[in-house]
Amino acid sequence: FRSMNMADLPVYYYHQDSAWMSSELFTDYFNEEILPTIKKHFPHQRVIVTLDNATCHPPTLNDIDDLIHVQFLPPNTTSLIQPCDQQVIFSLKSRVRNVYYTKLLTYV
């Protein structure tokens, strides 16, 4: 991306050197991109934004705007809600189980 002009991209591009999402980066993204989009589509309406409980999602997001309420999901529920995550977990568990039983039968 070094030679590209980020303003020409049809997406919002944020980054930091460690490649991890931080609270500051997410708060900036929330204020600069998410809030204006919500206000554009739902002016003067109360909106609930649902986020997982990642450490980069600061609990102070509820203090930004009175009409926007951020609701955090309980721990360990994201993988249960997202079908893609469910398939990955199922696939991994079935492979591990297969290796386990294969080794068990080999030893017997």
Side-chain angles (χ1 to χ4, degrees):
F1 293 122
R2 289 185 183 151
S3 63
M4 295 186 71
N5 183 3
M6 296 303 162
D8 293 339
L9 293 176
V11 296
Y12 305 113
Y13 181 77
Y14 292 86
H15 76 284
Q16 65 176 12
D17 294 337
S18 69
W20 286 91
M21 178 64 77
S22 67
S23 295
E24 296 82 18
L25 195 63
F26 185 79
T27 303
D28 183 47
Y29 175 71
F30 190 82
N31 287 329
E32 300 298 323
E33 309 301 337
I34 296 176
L35 282 180
T37 303
I38 290 173
K39 291 195 175 289
K40 176 183 171 185
H41 293 288
F42 304 101
H44 313 296
Q45 291 181 358
R46 292 189 53 84
V47 176
I48 298 176
V49 177
T50 306
L51 296 173
D52 62 357
N53 62 344
T55 55
C56 63
H57 299 155
T60 57
L61 294 175
N62 279 321
D63 302 335
I64 295 173
D65 193 304
D66 291 337
L67 293 177
I68 296 175
H69 176 72
V70 178
Q71 183 68 44
F72 294 98
L73 293 173
N76 302 320
T77 56
T78 307
S79 62
L80 299 174
I81 295 171
Q82 296 176 341
C84 182
D85 287 349
Q86 288 179 352
Q87 185 61 37
V88 169
I89 291 169
F90 175 77
S91 177
L92 179 67
K93 283 184 176 182
S94 64
R95 287 178 188 220
V96 169
R97 193 176 302 119
N98 189 15
V99 168
Y100 173 77
Y101 285 125
T102 303
K103 286 185 178 184
L104 184 67
L105 288 173
T106 304
Y107 292 134
V108 172

